[in-house]
């Protein structure tokens, strides 16, 4: 930790949130002649790397200046009146819950920008894949980053909602214009599902703000639901929970996700899985748990039941896609795996215990790192083989990565075992703590029911291991096909984009205190009655 003045911290957080928006506007302007390099495409992609790099540096300095002795305290707070008639404020701040998500977003967006820039140097995109303009691609990427960062920093309910919605349009266009086969239908399904969920969520947020007399999330969390009647809490949790569940995505509101991931470009899939899904689960922790605890307790068993159904459903869907002859798409399989992994996050939140909620927050970060890496690797595999169809990779083209591209195969195997929750890697701790939380849920929740949910969730970990090991066996192992053309192994720019994710997956697995030390005091205070 370094000693940084509070006003400097406020400026850094404001820059992290607003900087990408300014960069997006600048990306649409003509590049100065001296900065164009070999082509305007290079200039604008380099601009994306520069802006996301500056935001990442600011996020790192923010993390270094964060007072780790008081992670439950809101820091770098900015509170400015915005719409006085409704008492809506531009209220930003970070604590031990939001800081890791802020850093994860800045890191993944920078790595996506870096990957896109260097990939353009090696492989000219076709006109259809490139869309109307690289300028639009970079601008949309930066708007997406700004909206996501604002969601994790917002401390006003309506500001949170606006930031939550801000990411929909850029992600829609990233899928619709830069995606693969079926991209138009996938983009429409994505936008319709999330918008319908958001309409219901807005009604719940307005209900809380009107009944409590404020939209300030800090004040509402400190009040801990005392100014809201039980019926208001139940209605608000149901309405807000539906909108958050769609974004998470929770079974059975998940059906937009596999199509969106399958059609999205590589960087779109990385950001969708690594960051956007976390916005839903973050809302459960930041809004519903502290602001409407009695209403949340009413729905907690149902949330847990849907969570474990999602765990089993996602795993069985992955097993069906992984088996020989199923013509399963590898990107689609990883998308279904996200339904299962986010089920563990929801299970941890539903326990309403510090152990379970800490596990959920840890699993959020681990899923972002590991699944982001998986989508990077699958994108690289498609670039080399022209397909993500498992049967084609295993039989016709004979990927046999251990023999043809051993480093790429090794990274894919590493990401797979990290995803299945191997002890010593990041995927292990979140799922284990979520199950521990279900073993002893909060007072007022049925322990026999949660013990059943814990047993079902534990069985889901076995199914997860099964389908991921099948994927590794089919894609990485096997005899080299005769006269098979060589596959390019990991390139230097791919190392640059993927190494931070590998390192952080190992560090978080071996040193979980780095994350739990931040989140636990904040979670303890949140469950006890808000954030100071």
């Amino acid at each position: 930790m370094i000693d940084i003045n509070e006003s400097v911290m406020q400026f850094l957080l404001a820059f992290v949130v607003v900087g990408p928006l300014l960069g997006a506007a600048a990306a649409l302007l003509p590049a100065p002649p001296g900065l164009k390099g070999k082509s305007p495409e290079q200039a604008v992609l380099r601009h994306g790397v520069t802006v996301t790099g500056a935001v990442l540096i600011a996020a790192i300095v923010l993390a270094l200046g964060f007072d780790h002795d008081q992670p439950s305290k809101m820091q770098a707070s900015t509170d400015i009146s915005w719409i006085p008639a409704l008492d809506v404020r531009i209220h930003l701040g970070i604590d031990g819950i939001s800081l890791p998500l802020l850093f994860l977003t800045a890191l993944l967006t920078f790595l996506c920008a870096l990957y896109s820039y260097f990939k353009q140097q090696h492989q000219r995109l076709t006109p259809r894949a490139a869309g109307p303009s690289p300028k639009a691609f970079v601008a949309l990427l930066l708007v997406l980053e700004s909206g996501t960062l604002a969601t994790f920093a917002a401390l006003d309910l309506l500001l949170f909602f606006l930031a939550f919605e801000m990411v929909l349009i850029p992600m829609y266009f990233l899928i619709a214009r830069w995606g693969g086969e079926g991209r138009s239908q996938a983009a429409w399904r994505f936008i319709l599902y999330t918008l319908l969920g958001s309409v219901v969520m807005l009604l719940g947020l307005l209900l809380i703000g009107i009944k409590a007399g404020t939209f300030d999330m800090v004040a509402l969390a400190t009040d801990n639901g005392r100014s809201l009647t039980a019926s208001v809490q139940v209605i608000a949790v149901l309405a807000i929970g539906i909108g958050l569940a769609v974004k998470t995505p929770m079974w059975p509101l998940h059906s937009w996700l596999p199509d969106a991931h399958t059609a999205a470009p590589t960087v779109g899939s990385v950001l969708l899985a690594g960051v956007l899904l976390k916005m839903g689960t973050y809302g459960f922790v930041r809004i519903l748990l502290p602001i409407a605890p009695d209403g949340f307790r009413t729905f907690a068993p149902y949330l847990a039941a849907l969570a474990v159904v999602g765990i089993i459903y996602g795993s069985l869907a992955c097993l069906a896609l992984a088996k020989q002859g199923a013509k399963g798409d590898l990107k689609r399989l990883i998308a279904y795996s996200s339904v299962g992994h986010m089920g563990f996050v929801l299970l941890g939140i539903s326990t309403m215990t510090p152990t379970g909620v800490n596990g959920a927050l840890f699993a959020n970060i681990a899923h972002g790192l590991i699944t982001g890496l998986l989508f990077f690797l699958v994108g690289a595999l498609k670039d080399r083989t022209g397909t993500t169809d498992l049967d084609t990779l295993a039989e016709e083209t004979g990927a046999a990565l251990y023999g043809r591209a051993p480093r790429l195969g090794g990274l894919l195997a590493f990401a797979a075992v990290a995803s299945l929750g191997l002890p010593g890697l990041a995927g292990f701790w979140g799922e284990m703590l979520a199950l521990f939380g279900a073993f002893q849920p909060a007072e007022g929740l049925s322990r026999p029911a949660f013990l059943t949910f814990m047993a079902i969730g534990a069985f889901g970990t076995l199914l997860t291991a099964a389908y991921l090991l099948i994927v590794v066996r089919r894609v990485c192992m096997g005899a080299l096909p005769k006269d098979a053309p060589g596959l390019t192994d990991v390139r230097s720019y791919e190392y640059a984009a993927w190494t931070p994710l590998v390192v952080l997956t190992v560090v978080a697995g071996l040193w979980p205190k780095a994350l739990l030390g931040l989140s636990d005091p904040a979670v303890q205070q949140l469950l006890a009655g808000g954030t100071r």
Side-chain angles (χ1 to χ4, degrees), residues 17-41:
V17 172
V18 179
L21 272 184
L22 301 177
L28 298 174
L29 300 175
L35 296 179
K36 285 186 178 180
K38 295 180 180 179
S39 69
E41 289 81 3

Side-chain angles (χ1 to χ4, degrees), residues 130-330:
S133 161
K135 286 187 174 185
F137 174 83
V138 171
L140 290 169
L141 192 70
L142 292 173
V143 172
L144 183 70
E145 179 182 32
S146 180
T148 312
L149 290 166
T151 301
F152 297 137
L155 295 176
D156 182 277
L157 288 179
L158 292 186
L159 184 64
F160 172 88
F161 176 78
L162 292 175
F164 195 87
E165 295 305 289
M166 183 176 164
V167 305
L168 299 185
I169 299 304
M171 182 53 73
Y172 167 81
F173 281 109
L174 283 174
I175 296 172
R177 302 305 297 271
W178 282 267
E181 186 179 352
R183 60 190 185 278
S184 179
Q185 182 181 357
W188 272 112
R189 179 174 287 190
F190 164 76
I191 199 79
L192 287 176
Y193 264 77
T194 47
L195 277 178
L196 288 173
S198 298
V199 169
V200 182
M201 183 173 76
L202 177 60
L203 296 176
L205 294 173
L206 290 174
L207 177 64
I208 286 178
I210 292 169
K211 291 295 184 180
T214 181
F215 290 99
D216 187 270
M217 291 160 66
V218 175
L220 288 166
T222 305
D223 183 67
N224 203 218
R226 285 183 286 270
S227 60
L228 301 173
T229 64
S231 59
V232 167
Q233 289 193 36
V234 167
I235 295 170
V237 169
L238 180 61
I240 297 170
I242 289 173
L244 297 175
V246 170
K247 187 66 73 72
T248 297
M250 180 184 75
W251 184 91
L253 303 174
H254 69 284
S255 59
W256 62 269
L257 183 71
D259 288 342
H261 269 312
T262 304
T266 297
V267 295
S269 292
V270 170
L271 292 176
L272 182 58
V275 178
L276 263 67
L277 304 189
K278 313 301 173 286
M279 294 164 63
T281 51
Y282 174 77
F284 277 104
V285 175
R286 177 64 74 196
I287 297 174
L288 295 186
L289 269 178
I291 294 176
D294 295 334
F296 190 85
R297 188 174 286 104
T298 301
F299 288 103
Y302 304 103
L303 179 64
L306 292 173
V308 296
V309 169
I311 292 170
I312 300 300
Y313 172 84
S315 299
L316 292 177
C318 290
L319 280 170
L321 290 169
K323 72 178 182 180
Q324 189 172 358
K327 291 292 180 183
D329 186 278
L330 195 49

Side-chain angles (χ1 to χ4, degrees), residues 355-366:
T355 301
V357 176
N358 275 306
L361 294 171
F362 197 103
N364 255 348
I365 301 298

